[in-house]
Amino acid sequence: MPTSRAPSLIPRPAASFSIHPFDAPLGAEISGLDLSQPLGDEDFRRIRQAHLEHHVLVFRDQRITPQQQIDFSRRFGRLQIHVLRQFQLKSHPEILVVSNVRENGQAIGLGDAGHFWHSDLSYKERPSLGSMLHAQELPAEGGDTLFANMHLAWDTLPDALKNVVRGRRAEHDYLAQYAELQRRSPWRPKLTDAQIAEVRPVLHPVVRTHPETGRKALFVSEHFTTRIVGLPEDESRAVLDQLFSHSVRPEHVYRHRWQPGDMVFWDNRSLIHLAAGCPEHHRRTLYRTTIEGDVPF
């Protein structure tokens, strides 16, 4: 009886996809790639390199299942589970549902995700390498996501501010804006003691080094960064406010206008992002996976 060759030994032909950089401070579109199909190693290396170069990749017209999104995400590293487990996709805990939809009076997802500029999971000892967000249902109006290039923010920071923050560390705290978000919206549940224990404040460099490219980037955000260690409280707040304002100057920002089937993959080591919001009566649902990164240095 003839035997078949092991699938792993069969060379997989390269996919004929294109990479189109945006006319923006970051970002590129990937077209002609179907992520529901197996991806060969050479194609994966090409995508990984594009991600490092452009910081945001937009995969157009992706008809993929939650499991396929998880499998593709895992190619980049271990996945992280969000502390708000009540908003996990049923049977797929690796996926956080980002949604303003209610069913039977209950929110099915995190409706106010991204209300403040932030880098995902910067409040963890090992913050996120990157996040993938796949559009499921998009609003007819609004719903854009903004990304700010934190490499450019550092490169263009005035020397006086660079001298103040170089070599310093800052505190990142998941709870920093939590009470404010609870006040503003009905989607933020009360945290249990166990959940609070998962998100104890951590210290990270104000200026981090990208572990794969070696580039420097600011690593602070209005959502999670509470103070700069070693500075008086008033000075710390004044410096952080200047860093926040400088980071999101228009020349550092790309605005993503979602299209059906988009999956967006961004680098949390290089960027911060913001959800621009949409009218409450427009339904919006996306699925997010988050990839674990390294301890910042």
Side-chain angles (χ1 to χ4, degrees):
M1 174 183 263
T3 59
S4 60
R5 186 184 298 178
S8 61
L9 300 180
I10 299 175
R12 193 177 304 283
S16 57
F17 62 89
S18 302
I19 303 171
H20 306 283
F22 296 136
D23 182 15
L26 59 120
E29 176 182 300
I30 307 292
S31 58
L33 181 64
D34 182 358
L35 291 176
S36 71
Q37 301 301 310
L39 189 68
D41 290 342
E42 183 56 40
D43 290 325
F44 176 75
R45 282 192 290 269
R46 190 178 168 204
I47 289 170
R48 187 176 198 126
Q49 184 58 39
H51 187 245
L52 294 174
E53 290 178 9
H54 302 292
H55 316 302
V56 166
L57 298 181
V58 179
F59 299 88
R60 298 292 191 190
D61 197 29
Q62 296 302 315
R63 316 284 184 200
I64 59 174
T65 66
Q67 189 59 53
Q68 287 167 337
Q69 179 178 347
I70 291 168
D71 292 343
F72 179 57
S73 302
R74 280 197 176 125
R75 296 282 299 264
F76 294 87
R78 176 183 174 184
L79 300 190
Q80 294 171 300
I81 306 298
H82 197 278
V83 66
L84 295 180
R85 288 177 176 77
Q86 51 266 70
F87 297 138
Q88 291 172 347
L89 185 64
K90 197 172 294 185
S91 78
H92 292 90
E94 301 90 344
I95 287 182
L96 174 71
V97 179
V98 176
S99 180
N100 64 355
V101 175
R102 294 190 186 197
E103 293 180 352
N104 301 317
Q106 298 294 318
I108 68 168
L110 188 57
D112 62 350
H115 183 84
F116 297 103
W117 285 99
H118 68 289
S119 172
D120 286 335
L121 278 63
S122 72
Y123 51 84
K124 302 291 283 186
E125 290 285 351
R126 297 172 68 92
S128 168
L129 176 156
S131 301
M132 296 191 192
L133 197 60
H134 186 213
Q136 305 296 311
E137 186 174 15
L138 296 175
E141 178 184 342
D144 297 351
T145 304
L146 282 66
F147 297 91
N149 187 327
M150 298 298 271
H151 294 303
L152 286 180
W154 171 249
D155 292 344
T156 60
L157 194 68
D159 288 341
L161 266 180
K162 282 186 175 181
N163 292 334
V164 171
V165 301
R166 187 182 279 112
R168 292 195 179 273
R169 293 163 70 79
E171 181 183 74
H172 293 242
D173 186 354
Y174 178 70
L175 301 180
Q177 301 281 6
Y178 202 85
E180 174 62 17
L181 289 170
Q182 285 183 309
R183 186 186 69 80
R184 291 181 181 218
S185 78
W187 293 291
R188 289 276 165 172
K190 179 177 172 58
L191 298 176
T192 66
D193 291 342
Q195 286 174 310
I196 292 172
E198 281 186 44
V199 290
R200 299 297 187 195
V202 296
L203 300 180
H204 292 311
V206 175
V207 185
R208 71 174 297 175
T209 302
H210 196 290
E212 296 185 74
T213 68
R215 292 188 66 186
K216 301 291 186 183
L218 283 178
F219 193 58
V220 294
S221 73
E222 63 176 355
H223 193 160
F224 299 129
T225 309
T226 57
R227 63 186 176 92
I228 298 176
V229 178
L231 293 183
E233 184 176 347
D234 57 345
E235 184 179 352
S236 171
R237 175 46 49 195
V239 170
L240 284 175
D241 287 345
Q242 291 179 74
L243 296 180
F244 299 158
S245 176
H246 176 81
S247 297
V248 300
R249 292 171 61 173
E251 59 266 33
H252 301 156
V253 173
Y254 158 67
R255 176 182 285 265
H256 182 66
R257 294 175 171 85
W258 290 84
Q259 298 179 22
D262 276 359
M263 187 165 77
V264 178
F265 176 29
W266 66 88
D267 192 331
N268 281 304
R269 304 162 297 185
S270 300
L271 309 175
I272 56 175
H273 61 282
L274 174 77
C278 68
E280 290 185 10
H281 62 281
H282 287 296
R283 292 166 60 100
R284 181 177 185 264
T285 299
L286 306 99
Y287 291 167
R288 193 185 90 182
T289 44
T290 310
I291 304 152
E292 185 177 73
D294 304 297
V295 176
F297 62 93

